[in-house]
Amino acid sequence: MLGALRSAARRLLGVTRTSTYYLPWIARPGLRCVLILNNVESRFTSARAGGPFPAAVVQYDARGTVVARYDAKVPTATEPLELPLDAVAEGHGFVTVDTARLQSDLYVTLGDDDAYTATHGRHEFVETYPAWTRAVHAALGAVAGLAGLTLPAFVRHQYVYVGAQDRSHVLLLNLSNVTNRIRTTAVADGATTARRLDAIAPRGAALLDVASLAPAGSAARVLHLRFTGNAWFNLYLVGAGPNDLAGPLSLMHVK
Amino acid sequence: MSSSSALCSATFVDPGYDHLVELVHQRDRVGHRRLESLELELYEPGGASLGRTAVDTRQDTLDLAALVAARAPGVARVMVTFDARYDSRVFPYRPHHYAYLKLRDSPDPPLYYAVNATLGGVPDRIEAATRQNNFETYIFLSRPAGERYGLRLGNLARFSSVEAQVITYHGEARAVLPVTLAPHEHADVQLPLEREGARLRRVELKTLFRLASYVTGRRADSGGLVLFDHLFTYFK
């Protein structure tokens, strides 16, 4: 029922969904962010032949600006390509990968010379709103924003963790071409601890510091976050240790 | 006949880690109502049960490290199964437990992972879950020098042993390592970092039926986990 309503609303608003494979990225001094592009899951299909396999990569930063394009080619079905994302020294966002010739999940790694952590991307979609819908979003979103609210088109729930030596931040990805005003409500032990509203540029991203959502001196270990956005978005968790964002990080997918 | 639907997931617990498990990933009120019951069972590496316990499904998260420390003190590696029963209206969404894992007093970041859904889940009601899920693969980055890789495998079958094949690829060199697991037995399979001068690039796992399976990456110096991930099925 809800799905049918959503489809009808998308048709009414002229929204198109483009199938897209995306992965998050983070660049920090001393941290190497490398994609592993591969086609290994095609090994037992006819798609394994005909390499090298083109896999164009487009890298968007937090403002939604394209900061790099890579004409990547996966050599063979069994030989992966490691693609360092080194166009910017510091930042975050997401990359899209043209997977028309690839049949595999792709990995993003964060590490240094000693070790790395890894997660995988998502084969979902990005939404494109026509000009008049973008104008409506901008006008209504600005009004709602005055009251700290957003248009509640999409909702996601996520637990995050905060401790003296570790925490999980949230990397919010705006998978649309409109400004996405994402409202975050944090609840710990049944009580709301914080509310905030982030306006994320089209195709942009925001790194949400979990410490800003937990009251100072709180003993809460687990926060329940509720995100509401006016357009399609997704998120990854960013694990941080004692040195927080200045130390080694992990990226972690959610369902 | 019960209308509940079962999903059995499994993970592994090492001493020294904070380990928090979300009973319902991405909790909302509806999601929580549809988890009807959850029972955990603990197994030592040889497969002997260390006890079974029911969990209050109204909790957000479960402190798995504390539970294992209380019930299985001194056991180096414990396999924990999550026998969850859901109201069938939860489908076609596929429920998961996710978990937060952090080595205490370590400079490394915490990890977050999906607890391996191993048995059940009413496959014909879950989109794309009828795939063959007992032939999996994982690719490693070629560069870091200070990380050691392995597979963590557990046999959730009650009566049947399993003979698994762990296949490593170091460049062109392919090697097969047989692993036999009795019911509820579990193992840490170390993967050689180099063979014939080539780095480990990929691993495959072939079994007759699905095992609880994770890829691990550990720092060579401290042994701390920096990678704890699921493999990828070949057939989607």
Side-chain angles (χ1 to χ4, degrees):
Chain A
M1 179 65 179
L2 191 60
L5 274 177
R6 284 190 185 283
S7 295
R10 278 198 302 275
R11 280 197 299 275
L12 193 66
L13 296 171
V15 181
T16 55
R17 287 183 162 182
T18 307
S19 175
T20 303
Y21 196 99
Y22 66 87
L23 305 103
W25 65 271
I26 294 179
R28 285 278 186 280
L31 203 61
R32 191 180 298 120
C33 186
V34 179
L35 300 183
I36 304 178
L37 307 179
N38 74 94
N39 203 18
V40 72
E41 291 158 40
S42 73
R43 269 186 65 201
F44 303 100
T45 72
S46 56
R48 72 184 182 278
F53 305 98
V57 176
V58 181
Q59 185 178 4
Y60 298 89
D61 70 4
R63 290 168 300 183
T65 306
V66 174
V67 292
R69 294 180 189 273
Y70 307 86
D71 290 322
K73 288 185 174 61
V74 176
T76 69
T78 54
E79 192 177 350
L81 174 74
E82 296 180 4
L83 181 68
L85 299 179
D86 50 11
V88 295
E90 194 160 354
H92 53 266
F94 67 90
V95 298
T96 61
V97 183
D98 179 356
T99 55
R101 299 284 310 281
L102 304 183
Q103 287 195 352
S104 285
D105 263 302
L106 312 177
Y107 307 55
V108 56
T109 68
L110 284 177
D112 54 24
D113 289 336
D114 282 335
Y116 73 96
T117 66
T119 191
H120 60 79
R122 287 284 177 208
H123 202 167
E124 285 183 346
F125 52 85
V126 292
E127 287 189 332
T128 304
Y129 292 71
W132 72 271
T133 318
R134 291 203 300 275
V136 170
H137 263 280
L140 294 180
V143 172
L146 294 174
L149 302 174
T150 187
L151 305 178
F154 294 97
V155 176
R156 296 189 71 91
H157 297 261
Q158 179 64 48
Y159 292 107
V160 292
Y161 302 84
V162 56
Q165 298 270 304
D166 59 284
R167 58 207 59 84
S168 53
H169 302 300
V170 181
L171 182 59
L172 290 167
L173 309 177
N174 179 6
L175 301 165
S176 79
N177 70 332
V178 296
T179 297
N180 207 339
R181 291 175 172 81
I182 298 180
R183 185 173 193 257
T184 304
T185 305
V187 175
D189 300 326
T192 299
T193 60
R195 291 188 181 92
R196 59 180 289 164
L197 186 67
D198 293 274
I200 306 177
R203 308 277 197 267
L207 187 54
L208 200 59
D209 184 344
V210 69
S212 71
L213 303 172
S218 165
R221 185 79 174 92
V222 184
L223 297 178
H224 171 220
L225 304 187
R226 183 178 192 272
F227 300 100
T228 309
N230 58 267
W232 180 239
F233 67 97
N234 212 332
L235 58 91
Y236 276 73
L237 292 198
V238 179
N243 293 324
D244 204 3
L245 294 171
L249 301 174
S250 64
L251 274 167
M252 312 182 256
H253 65 78
V254 302
K255 184 172 167 61
Chain B
M1 187 177 75
S2 169
S3 61
S4 292
S5 304
L7 179 67
C8 190
S9 309
T11 190
F12 300 92
V13 175
D14 295 347
Y17 286 80
D18 284 339
H19 206 150
L20 299 166
V21 177
E22 299 166 5
L23 300 193
V24 179
H25 177 50
Q26 295 181 356
R27 184 201 75 161
D28 59 15
R29 277 176 293 183
V30 172
H32 247 260
R33 275 206 308 270
R34 289 178 177 166
L35 175 61
E36 293 184 338
S37 69
L38 178 62
E39 289 195 2
L40 271 53
E41 188 151 7
L42 281 54
Y43 298 94
E44 55 90 32
S49 175
L50 298 167
R52 190 173 177 90
T53 186
V55 172
D56 181 352
T57 59
R58 293 170 299 181
Q59 294 179 85
D60 284 344
T61 56
L62 171 71
D63 187 339
L64 191 60
L67 187 145
V68 170
R71 292 175 176 265
V75 181
R77 184 187 66 245
V78 174
M79 181 170 76
V80 183
T81 59
F82 294 73
D83 185 355
R85 306 293 161 118
Y86 295 90
D87 180 326
S88 60
R89 284 175 296 174
V90 75
F91 302 112
Y93 174 81
R94 188 178 196 193
H96 277 76
H97 313 290
Y98 267 64
Y100 186 78
L101 183 63
K102 171 74 173 76
L103 180 60
R104 294 182 203 114
D105 303 319
S106 158
D108 287 324
L111 303 174
Y112 185 68
Y113 71 95
V115 178
N116 209 238
T118 309
L119 297 176
V122 194
D124 66 337
R125 302 196 61 177
I126 302 173
E127 187 181 356
T130 49
R131 304 161 182 157
Q132 189 176 353
N133 61 7
N134 53 349
F135 184 19
E136 300 177 291
T137 186
Y138 196 88
I139 294 173
F140 299 97
L141 199 60
S142 62
R143 203 163 168 176
E147 197 164 336
R148 302 293 177 263
Y149 305 109
L151 286 189
R152 222 162 230 212
L153 304 176
N155 179 5
L156 265 58
R158 281 188 293 174
F159 306 116
S160 177
S161 293
V162 65
E163 291 182 8
Q165 284 189 336
V166 174
I167 303 158
T168 56
Y169 294 85
H170 298 74
E172 298 298 314
R174 178 182 186 271
V176 180
L177 175 66
V179 178
T180 302
L181 295 173
H184 294 134
E185 187 177 3
H186 51 98
D188 237 346
V189 180
Q190 302 306 310
L191 306 178
L193 193 61
E194 290 192 359
R195 190 184 294 276
E196 298 170 15
R199 292 271 306 198
L200 174 69
R201 298 309 311 277
R202 188 157 57 88
V203 66
E204 286 174 352
L205 173 64
K206 288 182 183 176
T207 63
L208 190 60
F209 51 83
R210 183 163 175 75
L211 304 180
S213 56
Y214 293 91
V215 174
T216 60
R218 294 178 177 280
R219 284 196 182 274
D221 48 6
S222 68
L225 278 171
V226 291
L227 189 63
F228 194 69
D229 204 356
H230 59 79
L231 291 86
F232 294 89
T233 178
Y234 267 112
F235 302 111
K236 292 191 170 71

